[in-house]
Amino acid sequence: MPKALITGITGQDGSYLAEFLLEKGYEVIGMVRRSSTINFSRIQHFQDQITLVSGDLLDQGSLISILQEHSPEEVYNLAAQSFVPASWKQPVFTGNVTALGVTRMLEAIRTVDTSIRFYQASSSEMFGKVREVPQNEDTPFYPRSPYGVAKVYGHWITINYRESYGLHATSGILFNHESPRRGLEFVTRKVTDGVAKIKLGLADELRLGNLDSRRDWGYAGDYVRAMWMMLQQPAPDDYVIATGETHSIREMCEAAFECVDLDWQEYVKQDPRFMRPAEVDLLVGDAGKAKRVLGWEPRVSFRKLMQMMVDADVALLRRENGL
C-alpha cells in the first residue's frame, strides 16, 4: 500500500486529493496545525480512513518528525496562506508559510529520505501581470500580490532542490479551480452562495469588486488528479494545469444566476471595497504539456461547475435554515 502525506488536507484541494488517493488504495497521512479554528468539515465523511498528524510549515522539527515516523513515498504540499486579498494584510506571514514553508519541507525531505516524491502547489497567480496569452511553463512570472510573490519563491526553491540534490520535486502551476468545498471568501463561492441566498429569499443583493477580471476556472476534483499523475512520472518536471478557457466575473454571475432562473443584473452591485490594490486582469492557461505528457484533460466544464456549486449551496442553505 503506497503512503502519501498531504499538508493542507483540511482545505479544498487537500480533501479532494485525500479522497482520490484513498480510492487508489493509498494510506493517507494528513498534516494539520494545532489551532483553535481548525475546520474538519471537508474531510468529515472520510476522516476515519486517514491518519491526522500535528505539524506546521513554520516548524522544521515537526516536519522532520512526521517524515521519520510515517515514511511516506509521496508528499503533496498544499498548505499555504492561500487567500490573495489576505496576503496584503499579512504579507510577512504569507511569505513565511507560502514561501519559506516550502523550503522547510524540502529540507526535511533532503534530511530524512531523498527518495520521497514531492509535489509543490504552484499557482497561476505567479504570472500576475501576464507577459503573454495563454500562459505556459515558459511564460515569465510577474506576480501582483504578496501571495503571488511567495508562490514564485516556493516554485523556484522546488526547482533549485530538484537540480541541486536530485530530488523528485515537481510543481503544478494550477490555474483557478473551484468546487462546493471552496471557502466563502473566494469569489466563485461568494457568487454561488449569494445566488443561493437570493433564490431562497435570504438576501436581496450581491456585492462584488471588479466584474471585468478574467480567470481560467476549472474543477478541483479534476486538478487533484493531475497532481497525482505528475508524481507517477519517471522524472520530475513542472506542469501548467488549466482549462484553456477564460471567463469574467460578469460571465460567472450570469451563469450562476441562470442556474436558478434569475437575471444577475437585477441583484449584483459593484462595491469599491472589494477592489484589489493591484489587479490581475487576464489569466488563461495552456495545459498542452500536461495533455501530451500526463494524458490529463479537464472533465467538468465551466457551466457544469457553476451548476454544481449553486446546487450545493442551495441544498446547504436549505438544511441550515430549515427550508
Side-chain angles (χ1 to χ4, degrees):
M1 181 184 287
K3 189 185 293 187
L5 169 67
I6 303 173
T7 73
I9 194 168
T10 59
Q12 170 188 258
D13 290 8
S15 66
Y16 278 109
L17 178 61
E19 276 182 308
F20 178 85
L21 294 178
L22 287 170
E23 289 171 11
K24 289 280 182 189
Y26 275 67
E27 181 180 342
V28 175
I29 314 297
M31 190 181 91
V32 294
R33 286 179 301 147
R34 288 203 180 278
S35 166
S36 59
T37 58
I38 198 156
N39 181 358
F40 291 103
S41 62
R42 294 184 183 95
I43 62 171
Q44 243 169 1
H45 57 291
F46 60 81
Q47 199 170 330
D48 59 341
Q49 300 175 58
I50 61 177
T51 302
L52 294 178
V53 295
S54 180
D56 197 317
L57 288 178
L58 299 178
D59 179 20
Q60 181 87 41
S62 69
L63 305 180
I64 290 172
S65 295
I66 290 169
L67 296 182
Q68 287 175 333
E69 182 178 349
H70 296 280
S71 303
E73 287 104 329
E74 298 172 2
V75 170
Y76 296 86
N77 185 41
L78 310 185
Q81 190 302 99
S82 61
F83 186 44
V84 176
S87 72
W88 275 287
K89 296 179 179 176
Q90 297 179 297
V92 175
F93 175 72
T94 299
N96 210 344
V97 176
T98 307
L100 289 176
V102 185
T103 315
R104 293 186 189 100
M105 181 60 85
L106 285 164
E107 189 62 13
I109 289 171
R110 188 177 76 86
T111 302
V112 175
D113 181 1
T114 56
S115 73
I116 292 172
R117 296 190 170 202
F118 175 77
Y119 172 83
Q120 166 58 13
S122 288
S123 167
S124 60
E125 289 286 330
M126 301 189 305
F127 295 121
K129 190 174 182 178
V130 298
R131 307 285 86 189
E132 61 187 20
V133 178
Q135 296 89 51
N136 61 31
E137 293 80 6
D138 297 319
T139 301
F141 300 135
Y142 194 143
R144 297 272 280 170
S145 66
Y147 169 78
V149 172
K151 279 293 186 183
V152 169
Y153 177 96
H155 181 81
W156 278 112
I157 201 69
T158 299
I159 292 172
N160 194 263
Y161 269 67
R162 176 168 80 211
E163 295 178 350
S164 301
Y165 302 116
L167 298 186
H168 194 296
T170 285
S171 281
I173 307 172
L174 273 54
F175 280 66
N176 296 64
H177 46 287
E178 316 298 323
S179 75
R181 298 181 195 171
R182 191 49 130 167
L184 283 166
E185 69 272 23
F186 291 86
V187 69
T188 40
R189 185 72 194 290
K190 184 177 178 180
V191 168
T192 60
D193 174 70
V195 167
K197 283 177 176 168
I198 289 168
K199 178 64 177 176
L200 297 174
L202 300 171
D204 54 16
E205 67 176 19
L206 174 60
R207 292 189 167 270
L208 298 170
N210 182 9
L211 299 181
D212 297 314
S213 181
R214 303 183 70 85
R215 293 289 186 278
D216 182 328
W217 278 292
Y219 170 52
D222 284 340
Y223 286 39
V224 300
R225 178 166 42 91
M227 298 176 187
W228 174 79
M229 293 170 93
M230 289 178 211
L231 291 201
Q232 309 320 303
Q233 300 306 304
D237 208 342
D238 305 318
Y239 298 90
V240 163
I241 302 298
T243 68
E245 294 180 7
T246 180
H247 300 275
S248 67
I249 305 288
R250 184 177 275 100
E251 288 173 63
M252 179 193 294
C253 290
E254 183 180 355
F257 276 92
E258 271 182 14
C259 293
V260 293
D261 300 316
L262 293 175
D263 181 355
W264 72 276
Q265 295 179 84
E266 294 180 19
Y267 303 98
V268 174
K269 305 283 188 291
Q270 270 198 295
D271 190 328
R273 289 179 303 163
F274 300 119
M275 298 290 190
R276 292 182 181 181
E279 183 57 86
V280 175
D281 297 312
L282 174 62
L283 290 174
V284 56
D286 172 8
K289 180 179 174 182
K291 181 178 180 179
R292 191 172 63 253
V293 178
L294 306 177
W296 178 87
E297 286 188 275
R299 295 171 181 167
V300 176
S301 69
F302 176 72
R303 288 195 173 268
K304 187 175 177 183
L305 174 62
M306 287 294 101
Q307 187 75 58
M308 179 194 304
M309 292 179 66
V310 169
D311 288 349
D313 276 326
V314 168
L316 177 64
L317 287 168
R318 283 190 193 280
R319 285 197 304 274
E320 288 179 349
N321 293 277
L323 300 173

